[in-house]
Amino acid sequence: MMMCLSAPDNRTSQHPNASGAIMVGVSMTLGIISNIVALFILVNAYCLQRRRSKATFLLFATSLVVTDFFGHVIPGALVLRLYISRNASTEDVHSTGGMCQFLGGSMVFFGLCPLFMGCAMAAERCLGVTKPLLHSSLVTKTRGKVCLSVIWLAALTVALLPCFQLGSYTYQEPGTWCFIQVFNSTKEAAPLRTSDVAFVVLFSGLGLTSLAAALVCNTISGVTLVLARLRRRPGSHHSAKSHDIEMVVQLVGIMVTSCICWCPLLILTLMSAIRSYSEPSESGLCNYKTLMWMAVRLATWNQILDPWVYILLRRTVLRKIYLIAKCQAGLGGTVLRRWEPTSFPSSGKNEVKQV
């Protein structure tokens, strides 16, 4: 009596509904607009920035937005094509054609890149906040570009593993998207291959590890900045820390967004593969398939929400939020005075004078 909600009958796989195509089109439009606006803001800030550590952060942030842009447009265009042409018939749902391989590889590549970049940015800021002298001697624009190249290459290597028979991509129900094979192809099929499960473990493990590392680094950075502000004596000279606050707040926003959007898919992918490997029967996996379909839709929102972190959590916006919070708190307090809004615009000026 149990029935998969994502594909209640064969007609669902044969004829993807029009509302799905409209949803994909709207999602692509939002993603394109959001990423273009964020890219304009970041490029403008990068051109005006004189602080080296901030420039390195903006280089990573700009690369992340560009990656999100292509990661939203390329897979989205392929999914939209499947909806419009309705190629995913019952006979094709389990095929491994070139389009499916490219779509699956794109989802893995553009899924891992933002997670790797978020981890690298968090580690860079953690080093800059806790060990500024070491950071100034180690972190350069050239090394930042090398790090970005390594991240893209690592994600591409993982995405291409199925080309060497290490894992595989297949159409997922309702037949409008391709991803790592985590279920048996048919009810009578043998369990997943060991290489398929290993590929799933590698993908999910890398993603979850990146999120955990970013959480640790951002926590250390945040605690260090808060303690530095609380220990500063009232009336003492401001240290140029507003740029650190801005970057750490943005990194926390990126991390929270990534956790919300990607953790369900990463965890469900791992659980589904293990369940399907240990229990070859189709029974009991319908709920996993439904949840997987919902999780991948949630993951696609990561490329839409990431740009808004840079749009909304800029220094000028943070200063306005501070002023509103200060008014709500009663315009005073020793703790609040240590977070004066003048530190946000003044730190840049102090830095220029030092240069």
Side-chain angles (χ1 to χ4, degrees):
M1 296 178 65
M2 183 176 293
M3 188 173 292
C4 293
L5 297 179
S6 60
D9 51 37
N10 289 336
R11 290 175 295 178
T12 304
S13 293
Q14 292 175 357
H15 302 290
N17 53 34
S19 62
I22 295 175
M23 184 176 295
V24 173
V26 172
S27 176
M28 285 184 63
T29 303
L30 289 175
I32 291 172
I33 294 175
S34 301
N35 281 282
I36 289 178
V37 173
L39 186 61
F40 175 80
I41 293 173
L42 288 170
V43 170
N44 184 59
Y46 183 79
C47 294
L48 298 176
Q49 185 56 236
R50 298 185 181 183
R51 179 185 288 271
R52 190 174 70 179
S53 61
K54 178 70 172 179
T56 303
F57 175 85
L58 290 174
L59 175 64
F60 274 92
T62 303
S63 302
L64 176 59
V65 171
V66 172
T67 304
D68 280 341
F69 176 81
F70 287 106
H72 197 72
V73 172
I74 295 176
L78 293 175
V79 172
L80 188 61
R81 180 185 174 186
L82 283 174
Y83 269 108
I84 295 175
S85 61
R86 303 190 178 188
N87 285 333
S89 63
T90 305
E91 292 78 12
D92 295 331
V93 166
H94 303 297
S95 66
T96 55
M99 183 177 178
C100 180
Q101 298 300 303
F102 183 76
L103 177 56
S106 297
M107 292 190 64
V108 170
F109 175 78
F110 290 115
L112 289 178
C113 277
L115 301 180
F116 288 167
M117 288 183 183
C119 179
M121 292 166 67
E124 184 269 336
R125 273 300 81 213
C126 183
L127 181 63
V129 170
T130 58
K131 304 289 182 181
L133 295 179
L134 181 61
H135 177 274
S136 62
S137 62
L138 290 180
V139 179
T140 62
K141 289 184 180 179
T142 301
R143 290 176 178 173
K145 293 177 181 177
V146 171
C147 182
L148 285 172
S149 300
V150 172
I151 288 174
W152 283 321
L153 181 60
L156 181 62
T157 300
V158 175
L160 291 178
L161 286 179
C163 295
F164 303 96
Q165 303 302 315
L166 300 174
S168 58
Y169 300 119
T170 185
Y171 281 104
Q172 308 288 330
E173 293 187 11
T176 54
W177 58 290
C178 284
F179 196 55
I180 302 172
Q181 182 171 348
V182 295
F183 301 110
N184 302 320
S185 298
T186 63
K187 295 181 180 180
E188 294 80 15
L192 292 178
R193 297 178 303 170
T194 303
S195 60
D196 291 328
V197 179
F199 186 44
V200 172
V201 172
L202 176 64
F203 172 75
S204 298
L206 288 174
L208 293 173
T209 301
S210 298
L211 290 174
L215 174 62
V216 172
C217 292
N218 287 330
T219 301
I220 294 174
S221 300
V223 171
T224 302
L225 288 175
V226 170
L227 292 178
R229 285 281 176 168
L230 294 177
R231 290 171 181 171
R232 182 172 58 82
R233 296 178 181 177
S236 63
H237 179 68
H238 285 291
S239 59
K241 291 291 186 181
S242 66
H243 72 288
D244 286 325
I245 296 173
E246 180 186 24
M247 288 186 285
V248 170
V249 169
Q250 290 179 344
L251 285 175
V252 171
I254 294 172
M255 179 192 67
V256 172
T257 302
S258 298
C259 287
I260 294 174
C261 293
W262 275 101
C263 277
L265 181 61
L266 294 172
I267 295 174
L268 279 171
T269 299
L270 186 61
M271 292 176 60
S272 300
I274 295 175
R275 176 74 179 274
S276 185
Y277 182 77
S278 60
E279 300 179 17
S281 174
E282 187 87 357
S283 176
L285 292 177
C286 290
N287 289 335
Y288 282 95
K289 293 182 179 181
T290 301
L291 293 173
M292 278 279 293
W293 179 71
M294 297 172 60
V296 77
R297 285 199 167 184
L298 180 61
T300 59
W301 277 88
N302 186 64
Q303 287 93 348
I304 299 176
L305 297 177
D306 265 352
W308 286 98
V309 172
Y310 305 108
I311 296 172
L312 298 178
L313 299 184
R314 289 175 292 156
R315 188 179 305 179
T316 54
V317 179
L318 291 176
R319 184 169 180 265
K320 291 179 181 179
I321 293 175
Y322 170 84
L323 292 174
I324 294 173
K326 185 176 181 180
C327 292
Q328 295 294 329
L331 300 175
T334 304
V335 175
L336 280 178
R337 283 197 294 271
R338 294 178 181 178
W339 296 83
E340 285 297 324
T342 54
S343 65
F344 287 97
S346 65
S347 63
K349 298 178 182 178
N350 293 336
E351 187 64 21
V352 172
K353 292 179 181 179
Q354 293 176 4
V355 174

mmCIF file of all heavy atoms in Angstrom, residues 285-312:
data_model
loop_
_atom_site.group_PDB
_atom_site.id
_atom_site.type_symbol
_atom_site.label_atom_id
_atom_site.label_comp_id
_atom_site.label_asym_id
_atom_site.label_seq_id
_atom_site.Cartn_x
_atom_site.Cartn_y
_atom_site.Cartn_z
ATOM 1 N N LEU A 285 11.973 2.312 0.666
ATOM 2 C CA LEU A 285 12.825 3.361 0.120
ATOM 3 C C LEU A 285 12.030 4.501 -0.507
ATOM 4 O O LEU A 285 12.601 5.503 -0.913
ATOM 5 C CB LEU A 285 13.777 2.772 -0.934
ATOM 6 C CG LEU A 285 14.850 1.816 -0.402
ATOM 7 C CD1 LEU A 285 15.666 1.257 -1.560
ATOM 8 C CD2 LEU A 285 15.767 2.525 0.583
ATOM 9 N N CYS A 286 10.722 4.350 -0.623
ATOM 10 C CA CYS A 286 9.903 5.382 -1.265
ATOM 11 C C CYS A 286 9.990 6.704 -0.526
ATOM 12 O O CYS A 286 10.074 7.766 -1.142
ATOM 13 C CB CYS A 286 8.455 4.922 -1.367
ATOM 14 S SG CYS A 286 8.206 3.581 -2.559
ATOM 15 N N ASN A 287 9.964 6.630 0.800
ATOM 16 C CA ASN A 287 10.062 7.863 1.579
ATOM 17 C C ASN A 287 11.393 8.547 1.362
ATOM 18 O O ASN A 287 11.473 9.780 1.304
ATOM 19 C CB ASN A 287 9.853 7.568 3.065
ATOM 20 C CG ASN A 287 8.420 7.201 3.383
ATOM 21 O OD1 ASN A 287 7.499 7.578 2.663
ATOM 22 N ND2 ASN A 287 8.226 6.446 4.458
ATOM 23 N N TYR A 288 12.460 7.744 1.243
ATOM 24 C CA TYR A 288 13.779 8.313 0.976
ATOM 25 C C TYR A 288 13.789 9.036 -0.363
ATOM 26 O O TYR A 288 14.389 10.107 -0.511
ATOM 27 C CB TYR A 288 14.850 7.225 1.001
ATOM 28 C CG TYR A 288 15.265 6.801 2.389
ATOM 29 C CD1 TYR A 288 14.696 5.696 3.009
ATOM 30 C CD2 TYR A 288 16.241 7.506 3.079
ATOM 31 C CE1 TYR A 288 15.072 5.301 4.291
ATOM 32 C CE2 TYR A 288 16.627 7.127 4.353
ATOM 33 C CZ TYR A 288 16.048 6.023 4.950
ATOM 34 O OH TYR A 288 16.432 5.650 6.210
ATOM 35 N N LYS A 289 13.141 8.462 -1.377
ATOM 36 C CA LYS A 289 13.115 9.077 -2.697
ATOM 37 C C LYS A 289 12.367 10.404 -2.671
ATOM 38 O O LYS A 289 12.776 11.376 -3.306
ATOM 39 C CB LYS A 289 12.485 8.115 -3.712
ATOM 40 C CG LYS A 289 13.327 6.873 -3.971
ATOM 41 C CD LYS A 289 12.687 5.978 -5.025
ATOM 42 C CE LYS A 289 13.552 4.748 -5.289
ATOM 43 N NZ LYS A 289 12.975 3.866 -6.328
ATOM 44 N N THR A 290 11.271 10.427 -1.935
ATOM 45 C CA THR A 290 10.505 11.665 -1.813
ATOM 46 C C THR A 290 11.329 12.736 -1.104
ATOM 47 O O THR A 290 11.389 13.896 -1.537
ATOM 48 C CB THR A 290 9.204 11.412 -1.034
ATOM 49 O OG1 THR A 290 8.440 10.422 -1.708
ATOM 50 C CG2 THR A 290 8.402 12.691 -0.900
ATOM 51 N N LEU A 291 11.986 12.356 -0.020
ATOM 52 C CA LEU A 291 12.801 13.304 0.730
ATOM 53 C C LEU A 291 14.008 13.775 -0.087
ATOM 54 O O LEU A 291 14.407 14.943 0.012
ATOM 55 C CB LEU A 291 13.269 12.665 2.043
ATOM 56 C CG LEU A 291 12.170 12.373 3.075
ATOM 57 C CD1 LEU A 291 12.736 11.599 4.255
ATOM 58 C CD2 LEU A 291 11.516 13.677 3.549
ATOM 59 N N MET A 292 14.575 12.883 -0.883
ATOM 60 C CA MET A 292 15.695 13.269 -1.732
ATOM 61 C C MET A 292 15.272 14.325 -2.735
ATOM 62 O O MET A 292 15.997 15.298 -2.999
ATOM 63 C CB MET A 292 16.244 12.041 -2.471
ATOM 64 C CG MET A 292 17.186 11.191 -1.671
ATOM 65 S SD MET A 292 18.869 11.855 -1.647
ATOM 66 C CE MET A 292 19.317 11.636 -3.378
ATOM 67 N N TRP A 293 14.110 14.150 -3.330
ATOM 68 C CA TRP A 293 13.598 15.108 -4.305
ATOM 69 C C TRP A 293 13.378 16.471 -3.665
ATOM 70 O O TRP A 293 13.681 17.514 -4.248
ATOM 71 C CB TRP A 293 12.295 14.559 -4.895
ATOM 72 C CG TRP A 293 11.652 15.454 -5.899
ATOM 73 C CD1 TRP A 293 12.081 15.736 -7.161
ATOM 74 C CD2 TRP A 293 10.429 16.193 -5.720
ATOM 75 N NE1 TRP A 293 11.206 16.589 -7.792
ATOM 76 C CE2 TRP A 293 10.183 16.889 -6.928
ATOM 77 C CE3 TRP A 293 9.524 16.311 -4.674
ATOM 78 C CZ2 TRP A 293 9.078 17.716 -7.111
ATOM 79 C CZ3 TRP A 293 8.410 17.132 -4.850
ATOM 80 C CH2 TRP A 293 8.202 17.819 -6.061
ATOM 81 N N MET A 294 12.871 16.489 -2.424
ATOM 82 C CA MET A 294 12.677 17.747 -1.712
ATOM 83 C C MET A 294 14.014 18.359 -1.298
ATOM 84 O O MET A 294 14.196 19.577 -1.350
ATOM 85 C CB MET A 294 11.801 17.505 -0.483
ATOM 86 C CG MET A 294 10.392 17.022 -0.805
ATOM 87 S SD MET A 294 9.455 16.523 0.665
ATOM 88 C CE MET A 294 9.445 18.060 1.587
ATOM 89 N N ALA A 295 14.969 17.499 -0.914
ATOM 90 C CA ALA A 295 16.276 18.000 -0.456
ATOM 91 C C ALA A 295 17.068 18.640 -1.586
ATOM 92 O O ALA A 295 17.753 19.643 -1.379
ATOM 93 C CB ALA A 295 17.075 16.857 0.165
ATOM 94 N N VAL A 296 16.981 18.076 -2.792
ATOM 95 C CA VAL A 296 17.734 18.662 -3.898
ATOM 96 C C VAL A 296 17.142 19.999 -4.296
ATOM 97 O O VAL A 296 17.863 20.911 -4.735
ATOM 98 C CB VAL A 296 17.786 17.692 -5.100
ATOM 99 C CG1 VAL A 296 16.479 17.673 -5.874
ATOM 100 C CG2 VAL A 296 18.937 18.063 -6.038
ATOM 101 N N ARG A 297 15.847 20.166 -4.155
ATOM 102 C CA ARG A 297 15.241 21.474 -4.409
ATOM 103 C C ARG A 297 15.703 22.494 -3.382
ATOM 104 O O ARG A 297 15.950 23.657 -3.710
ATOM 105 C CB ARG A 297 13.708 21.373 -4.394
ATOM 106 C CG ARG A 297 13.130 20.731 -5.638
ATOM 107 C CD ARG A 297 11.664 21.058 -5.813
ATOM 108 N NE ARG A 297 11.189 20.699 -7.145
ATOM 109 C CZ ARG A 297 9.972 20.953 -7.595
ATOM 110 N NH1 ARG A 297 9.100 21.570 -6.802
ATOM 111 N NH2 ARG A 297 9.614 20.613 -8.812
ATOM 112 N N LEU A 298 15.825 22.056 -2.137
ATOM 113 C CA LEU A 298 16.326 22.950 -1.100
ATOM 114 C C LEU A 298 17.779 23.334 -1.370
ATOM 115 O O LEU A 298 18.179 24.488 -1.166
ATOM 116 C CB LEU A 298 16.197 22.280 0.269
ATOM 117 C CG LEU A 298 16.671 23.085 1.480
ATOM 118 C CD1 LEU A 298 15.865 24.368 1.626
ATOM 119 C CD2 LEU A 298 16.566 22.252 2.748
ATOM 120 N N ALA A 299 18.572 22.372 -1.853
ATOM 121 C CA ALA A 299 19.982 22.651 -2.139
ATOM 122 C C ALA A 299 20.152 23.681 -3.248
ATOM 123 O O ALA A 299 21.100 24.475 -3.245
ATOM 124 C CB ALA A 299 20.700 21.353 -2.515
ATOM 125 N N THR A 300 19.233 23.693 -4.210
ATOM 126 C CA THR A 300 19.343 24.661 -5.299
ATOM 127 C C THR A 300 19.157 26.094 -4.812
ATOM 128 O O THR A 300 19.617 27.039 -5.472
ATOM 129 C CB THR A 300 18.293 24.374 -6.389
ATOM 130 O OG1 THR A 300 16.977 24.436 -5.815
ATOM 131 C CG2 THR A 300 18.516 22.999 -6.997
ATOM 132 N N TRP A 301 18.523 26.266 -3.663
ATOM 133 C CA TRP A 301 18.331 27.609 -3.126
ATOM 134 C C TRP A 301 19.607 28.177 -2.526
ATOM 135 O O TRP A 301 19.667 29.376 -2.223
ATOM 136 C CB TRP A 301 17.212 27.607 -2.086
ATOM 137 C CG TRP A 301 15.865 27.693 -2.713
ATOM 138 C CD1 TRP A 301 15.084 26.656 -3.153
ATOM 139 C CD2 TRP A 301 15.147 28.889 -3.016
ATOM 140 N NE1 TRP A 301 13.926 27.132 -3.705
ATOM 141 C CE2 TRP A 301 13.927 28.501 -3.641
ATOM 142 C CE3 TRP A 301 15.397 30.241 -2.836
ATOM 143 C CZ2 TRP A 301 12.984 29.427 -4.062
ATOM 144 C CZ3 TRP A 301 14.454 31.161 -3.255
ATOM 145 C CH2 TRP A 301 13.272 30.754 -3.861
ATOM 146 N N ASN A 302 20.621 27.337 -2.353
ATOM 147 C CA ASN A 302 21.885 27.843 -1.823
ATOM 148 C C ASN A 302 22.488 28.893 -2.752
ATOM 149 O O ASN A 302 23.011 29.911 -2.303
ATOM 150 C CB ASN A 302 22.868 26.677 -1.648
ATOM 151 C CG ASN A 302 24.153 27.116 -0.970
ATOM 152 O OD1 ASN A 302 24.148 27.537 0.182
ATOM 153 N ND2 ASN A 302 25.262 27.030 -1.693
ATOM 154 N N GLN A 303 22.408 28.652 -4.080
ATOM 155 C CA GLN A 303 22.956 29.605 -5.038
ATOM 156 C C GLN A 303 22.136 30.884 -5.121
ATOM 157 O O GLN A 303 22.622 31.901 -5.605
ATOM 158 C CB GLN A 303 23.054 28.973 -6.434
ATOM 159 C CG GLN A 303 24.166 27.956 -6.571
ATOM 160 C CD GLN A 303 23.697 26.548 -6.293
ATOM 161 O OE1 GLN A 303 22.608 26.352 -5.785
ATOM 162 N NE2 GLN A 303 24.515 25.568 -6.641
ATOM 163 N N ILE A 304 20.886 30.831 -4.670
ATOM 164 C CA ILE A 304 20.048 32.028 -4.662
ATOM 165 C C ILE A 304 20.272 32.842 -3.390
ATOM 166 O O ILE A 304 20.335 34.080 -3.430
ATOM 167 C CB ILE A 304 18.560 31.653 -4.783
ATOM 168 C CG1 ILE A 304 18.308 30.913 -6.102
ATOM 169 C CG2 ILE A 304 17.672 32.891 -4.697
ATOM 170 C CD1 ILE A 304 16.885 30.415 -6.259
ATOM 171 N N LEU A 305 20.431 32.158 -2.267
ATOM 172 C CA LEU A 305 20.550 32.841 -0.984
ATOM 173 C C LEU A 305 21.963 33.346 -0.704
ATOM 174 O O LEU A 305 22.125 34.374 -0.027
ATOM 175 C CB LEU A 305 20.108 31.893 0.139
ATOM 176 C CG LEU A 305 18.642 31.447 0.084
ATOM 177 C CD1 LEU A 305 18.360 30.452 1.210
ATOM 178 C CD2 LEU A 305 17.704 32.631 0.170
ATOM 179 N N ASP A 306 22.992 32.647 -1.179
ATOM 180 C CA ASP A 306 24.374 33.075 -0.946
ATOM 181 C C ASP A 306 24.616 34.528 -1.347
ATOM 182 O O ASP A 306 25.226 35.290 -0.585
ATOM 183 C CB ASP A 306 25.352 32.152 -1.680
ATOM 184 C CG ASP A 306 25.883 31.054 -0.774
ATOM 185 O OD1 ASP A 306 25.620 31.104 0.448
ATOM 186 O OD2 ASP A 306 26.546 30.132 -1.274
ATOM 187 N N PRO A 307 24.210 34.954 -2.547
ATOM 188 C CA PRO A 307 24.469 36.349 -2.927
ATOM 189 C C PRO A 307 23.836 37.363 -1.983
ATOM 190 O O PRO A 307 24.391 38.449 -1.764
ATOM 191 C CB PRO A 307 23.857 36.448 -4.334
ATOM 192 C CG PRO A 307 23.831 35.056 -4.847
ATOM 193 C CD PRO A 307 23.590 34.200 -3.642
ATOM 194 N N TRP A 308 22.688 37.020 -1.397
ATOM 195 C CA TRP A 308 22.027 37.962 -0.509
ATOM 196 C C TRP A 308 22.781 38.146 0.798
ATOM 197 O O TRP A 308 22.567 39.135 1.511
ATOM 198 C CB TRP A 308 20.592 37.506 -0.247
ATOM 199 C CG TRP A 308 19.720 37.740 -1.437
ATOM 200 C CD1 TRP A 308 19.360 36.838 -2.390
ATOM 201 C CD2 TRP A 308 19.141 38.987 -1.840
ATOM 202 N NE1 TRP A 308 18.584 37.430 -3.359
ATOM 203 C CE2 TRP A 308 18.430 38.745 -3.052
ATOM 204 C CE3 TRP A 308 19.141 40.279 -1.296
ATOM 205 C CZ2 TRP A 308 17.739 39.753 -3.716
ATOM 206 C CZ3 TRP A 308 18.451 41.279 -1.963
ATOM 207 C CH2 TRP A 308 17.759 41.014 -3.151
ATOM 208 N N VAL A 309 23.672 37.228 1.110
ATOM 209 C CA VAL A 309 24.528 37.414 2.274
ATOM 210 C C VAL A 309 25.414 38.633 2.072
ATOM 211 O O VAL A 309 25.591 39.465 2.972
ATOM 212 C CB VAL A 309 25.390 36.158 2.516
ATOM 213 C CG1 VAL A 309 26.430 36.412 3.605
ATOM 214 C CG2 VAL A 309 24.510 34.976 2.904
ATOM 215 N N TYR A 310 25.966 38.780 0.861
ATOM 216 C CA TYR A 310 26.827 39.931 0.569
ATOM 217 C C TYR A 310 26.011 41.196 0.331
ATOM 218 O O TYR A 310 26.485 42.305 0.591
ATOM 219 C CB TYR A 310 27.685 39.641 -0.663
ATOM 220 C CG TYR A 310 28.500 38.381 -0.540
ATOM 221 C CD1 TYR A 310 28.171 37.241 -1.263
ATOM 222 C CD2 TYR A 310 29.582 38.307 0.316
ATOM 223 C CE1 TYR A 310 28.898 36.073 -1.146
ATOM 224 C CE2 TYR A 310 30.316 37.144 0.450
ATOM 225 C CZ TYR A 310 29.963 36.039 -0.283
ATOM 226 O OH TYR A 310 30.685 34.875 -0.155
ATOM 227 N N ILE A 311 24.791 41.039 -0.166
ATOM 228 C CA ILE A 311 23.948 42.204 -0.428
ATOM 229 C C ILE A 311 23.440 42.811 0.878
ATOM 230 O O ILE A 311 23.446 44.046 1.050
ATOM 231 C CB ILE A 311 22.766 41.822 -1.338
ATOM 232 C CG1 ILE A 311 23.273 41.375 -2.720
ATOM 233 C CG2 ILE A 311 21.794 42.989 -1.483
ATOM 234 C CD1 ILE A 311 22.192 40.791 -3.616
ATOM 235 N N LEU A 312 23.009 41.965 1.810
ATOM 236 C CA LEU A 312 22.379 42.445 3.028
ATOM 237 C C LEU A 312 23.349 42.650 4.192
ATOM 238 O O LEU A 312 23.107 43.510 5.054
ATOM 239 C CB LEU A 312 21.270 41.470 3.462
ATOM 240 C CG LEU A 312 20.108 41.300 2.482
ATOM 241 C CD1 LEU A 312 19.121 40.283 3.011
ATOM 242 C CD2 LEU A 312 19.418 42.628 2.218
#
